[in-house]
Amino acid sequence: MRPAGDPVHGGLTGSLGSSLRVYFVTPQGTWPVSRPAPAGARLQQAMDALLDGPTAAERARGLVTQLPSARQPVRAGTAQGRVQLRLPWLVRDLRPAAVSQLVCTAAEAPDVGDDPVVEVFEPGLAGRPWAVKCDESGSAVPAERGPSS
């Protein structure tokens, strides 16, 4: 019998960094893609990757974005255990898939924790933000539903 030798070194480990999950759109709905992320990747980097749109390879696979271009960036941060998105557009002007792209990309960012509530702030509107979550199908849904009847 021959010895097996030294253990293998290298390979994939958790210490090599993380990935960003960015949501784009297919004819069947939203679809997540993983992008390599530098160490310390955060929420704003995930939103910036979303706004950059799909890569050429992702477009070749049929992925598109429903987000319109904007002069102002989407600003993203966390406060009091919630994700906060400050949009340059009004939600009513966006397609539902675009809202899901924003909410689900934010909810999956490396630094926001599990199952976060995403507060969506619209420009020029006072009052409470939209409180939404990303469901298992990749859709934005209300964060607080009333009691079932």
Side-chain angles (χ1 to χ4, degrees), residues 63-123:
L63 298 168
V64 298
T65 185
Q66 294 289 321
L67 292 167
S69 60
R71 290 187 209 162
Q72 304 281 326
V74 171
R75 293 188 333 241
T78 57
Q80 300 170 352
R82 292 182 170 221
V83 174
Q84 294 183 336
L85 293 182
R86 297 186 186 283
L87 304 183
W89 319 277
L90 295 174
V91 169
R92 70 173 181 239
D93 295 336
L94 297 174
R95 293 180 174 196
V99 176
S100 292
Q101 284 184 263
L102 290 161
V103 170
C104 292
T105 297
E108 296 284 335
D111 60 335
V112 300
D114 294 331
D115 197 31
V117 170
V118 178
E119 294 178 326
V120 179
F121 293 84
E122 298 175 275

Side-chain angles (χ1 to χ4, degrees), residues 18-22 24 33-37 49-50 52-55 58:
S18 61
S19 62
L20 297 175
R21 183 168 282 189
V22 181
F24 293 114
V33 298
S34 290
R35 300 253 181 101
L50 172 64
D52 287 343
T55 64
E58 291 162 349

